[in-house]
């Protein structure tokens, strides 16, 4: 069975993927360029069916990468009953200890009960089988990463909202 598994590990949970197997895929690109560290793509349509039953029906987006960073101005992924949208601007220097540039991430998604079961299979406790809504917005670099908004809502189970500042993520002694 190709589903992800939820397993206990060191006092927490981790996802395990023994085998993710794509059974069919349809990829339509408006443009594609790749040379060395430079890549660009405009995805008109991408669909795939995974052995677990997850069926991505429509993926569209634009992305580029070069020696300065990754840019994903928009990415939309839809399944038969779920959807997600994201954008990311990630200069490589934002990952360095004293990087001056900043990453910018926006994510919004809704995962249906059916897709939760397809992804996690029988490992997900029945109490947690409910639609999941996610929204996240982050800005910053490894010196100061600001989680401006994190909102996770699992219908009739729980809602969590948070804001946080993470400091010195690359420095083991000063990390906060």
């Amino acid at each position: 069975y190709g589903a992800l598994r939820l397993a206990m590990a060191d006092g927490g949970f981790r996802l395990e993927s023994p085998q993710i197997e794509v059974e069919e895929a349809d990829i339509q690109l408006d443009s594609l360029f790749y040379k060395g560290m430079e890549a660009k793509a405009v995805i008109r349509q991408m669909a795939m069916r995974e052995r677990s039953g997850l069926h991505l029906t429509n993926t569209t987006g634009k992305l580029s990468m070069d020696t300065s960073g990754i840019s994903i101005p928009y990415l939309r992924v839809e399944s038969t009953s779920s959807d997600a949208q994201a954008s990311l601007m990630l200069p490589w220097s934002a990952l360095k200890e004293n990087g001056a540039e900043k990453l910018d991430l926006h994510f919004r998604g809704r995962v249906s009960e059916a897709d939760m079961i397809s992804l996690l299979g029988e490992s997900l406790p029945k109490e947690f089988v409910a639609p999941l809504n996610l929204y996240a917005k982050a800005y910053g670099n490894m010196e100061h990463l600001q989680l401006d908004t994190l909102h996770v809502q699992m219908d009739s189970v729980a809602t969590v909202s948070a804001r946080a500042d993470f400091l010195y993520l690359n420095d083991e002694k000063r990390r906060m």
Side-chain angles (χ1 to χ4, degrees):
Y1 190 71
L4 297 172
R5 295 191 208 323
L6 193 60
M8 283 294 290
D10 301 322
F13 288 98
R14 74 170 185 265
L15 288 174
E16 296 178 339
S17 174
Q19 183 177 2
I20 294 176
E21 186 176 312
V22 175
E23 292 184 337
E24 55 184 85
D26 173 26
I27 301 170
Q28 299 173 31
L29 302 174
D30 282 340
S31 64
L32 176 65
F33 173 81
Y34 173 74
K35 181 180 179 184
M37 280 289 294
E38 191 173 352
K40 297 178 183 180
V42 177
I43 304 166
R44 177 189 302 168
Q45 158 68 20
M46 184 170 69
M48 61 153 262
R49 185 179 309 276
E50 204 277 331
R51 184 173 72 159
S52 69
L54 179 65
H55 183 197
L56 298 182
T57 57
N58 186 29
T59 300
T60 58
K62 182 177 181 177
L63 57 103
S64 63
M65 177 182 81
D66 60 24
T67 56
S68 64
I70 296 175
S71 171
I72 305 173
Y74 70 92
L75 179 66
R76 180 174 181 94
V77 179
E78 299 173 353
S79 75
T80 50
S81 56
S82 302
D83 64 276
Q85 302 90 41
S87 66
L88 172 68
M89 300 300 284
L90 175 60
W92 297 127
S93 68
L95 301 176
K96 295 181 180 175
E97 188 170 339
N98 294 311
E101 295 182 279
K102 298 180 182 336
L103 72 87
D104 190 6
L105 168 71
H106 297 261
F107 177 85
R108 179 183 305 273
R110 182 185 55 78
V111 182
S112 69
E113 288 181 36
D115 286 343
M116 296 275 287
I117 292 169
S118 290
L119 287 168
L120 299 172
E122 300 301 317
S123 65
L124 187 65
K126 294 193 184 341
E127 302 83 36
F128 294 106
V129 178
L132 178 66
N133 296 294
L134 303 160
Y135 177 74
K137 184 176 174 183
Y139 179 80
N141 54 33
M142 295 297 109
E143 189 87 5
H144 181 192
L145 182 63
Q146 185 175 24
L147 182 59
D148 186 52
T149 305
L150 175 63
H151 184 78
V152 180
Q153 178 184 14
M154 186 172 271
D155 292 352
S156 71
V157 176
T159 299
V160 175
S161 292
R163 293 179 131 183
D165 287 298
F166 300 95
L167 303 174
Y168 314 115
L169 292 169
N170 284 343
D171 187 331
E172 289 183 29
K173 293 178 183 174
R174 297 189 311 166
R175 187 177 303 147
M176 298 168 56

